Amino acid sequence: MTTTAVPRPALTDLGPIAQLRAGRLTRRLVQLFVGLFLYGASLALMVRGALGLAPWDVMHSGLIRFIPLTLGEMVVVVSFVVLVLWIPLREKPGIGTVANAFVVGFSADATLAVLARPDALWERALLTIAGVVLCGLATALYIGSQFGRGPRDGLMTGLVRRTGWSLRLVRTGLEVTVVVLGLALGGGLGIGTVFFALAIGPLAQLMLPWFTVALDPRPALAAGGDQG
């Protein structure tokens, strides 16, 4: 008896109209917003763990020391600043890009409002680990919904496309840059930052096939010129 392997759904690169025409809209929208909400919650878990933040959040936490915004509000502001940088890179935002810019920051603030920082080191370590794992899950959910990249991911892929440099080099360069800026501003760097940098890629790669939604190829094909 032979078995036929079922191919895994592929990620696509569609513009906003094609994204809406690509089928399974209710499932994908729910998955997108659940993923983005959990992404913000994962940020809050790492903040309350107080053992170090993700690279971009090191910078966010440094900026709010000097600008009177909450952490979540700063995430939103930086998201739109990064989207401005998409313009010379000719990146096209999708529905998920704009939703990402708003939802992650507000989710982070909402979670921080109800989650206190524990005193025990082991509890803070658990929060940090849970934050990283939840971030991997959230990343797989929102990317797998096929509504486009987040602002920071789009900056990375745009630089790769325009410069011809490797994805690893561009990602490392961006993350080192924001960590250095965050450190200069007094942001929250620690062992959690290192753990995040080492674990988030493998976690997202593991989970992404579980949540990548297969699209209807016919509407996407009909949308032709709307591809990003």
Side-chain angles (χ1 to χ4, degrees):
M1 180 178 178
T2 60
T3 58
T4 302
V6 178
R8 292 176 175 176
L11 289 174
T12 60
D13 188 14
L14 304 176
I17 303 303
Q19 289 171 359
L20 292 173
R21 292 175 175 173
R24 308 188 71 181
L25 192 58
T26 300
R27 150 77 190 274
R28 291 167 54 223
L29 283 171
V30 169
Q31 181 173 313
L32 170 68
F33 284 99
V34 169
L36 294 178
F37 182 85
L38 292 180
Y39 200 107
S42 74
L43 190 167
L45 290 177
M46 293 190 70
V47 170
R48 291 300 187 234
L51 294 175
L53 300 174
W56 280 91
D57 297 325
V58 175
M59 185 178 72
H60 298 147
S61 66
L63 286 169
I64 64 173
R65 293 168 59 90
F66 301 93
I67 301 173
L69 295 174
T70 67
L71 182 62
E73 289 167 349
M74 183 56 69
V75 170
V76 174
V77 169
V78 171
S79 294
F80 281 98
V81 171
V82 170
L83 283 177
V84 172
L85 299 178
W86 280 33
I87 297 173
L89 298 174
R90 298 182 182 177
E91 286 289 291
K92 295 181 181 179
I95 295 167
T97 309
V98 179
N100 184 300
F102 284 107
V103 175
V104 171
F106 293 130
S107 169
D109 276 351
T111 307
L112 287 169
V114 299
L115 183 66
R117 172 182 163 173
D119 294 323
L121 179 59
W122 69 268
E123 292 178 303
R124 290 164 50 206
L126 283 179
L127 282 181
T128 300
I129 294 169
V132 174
V133 174
L134 185 61
C135 187
L137 171 63
T139 300
L141 284 167
Y142 95 77
I143 291 178
S145 70
Q146 307 258 35
F147 278 114
R149 296 177 289 273
R152 294 154 187 78
D153 290 335
L155 176 62
M156 176 180 62
T157 56
L159 285 170
V160 169
R161 184 167 52 83
R162 298 290 287 180
T163 64
W165 298 341
S166 71
L167 183 65
R168 179 179 298 179
L169 176 62
V170 171
R171 176 172 180 167
T172 301
L174 282 174
E175 294 190 346
V176 168
T177 299
V178 296
V179 165
V180 169
L181 287 174
L183 275 176
L185 295 168
L189 180 72
I191 188 64
T193 309
V194 177
F195 178 54
F196 182 96
L198 293 174
I200 192 62
L203 283 171
Q205 183 175 356
L206 171 68
M207 298 179 186
L208 186 57
W210 305 346
F211 299 106
T212 300
V213 181
L215 302 182
D216 182 347
R218 290 167 298 176
L221 188 62
D226 189 49
Q227 297 205 5

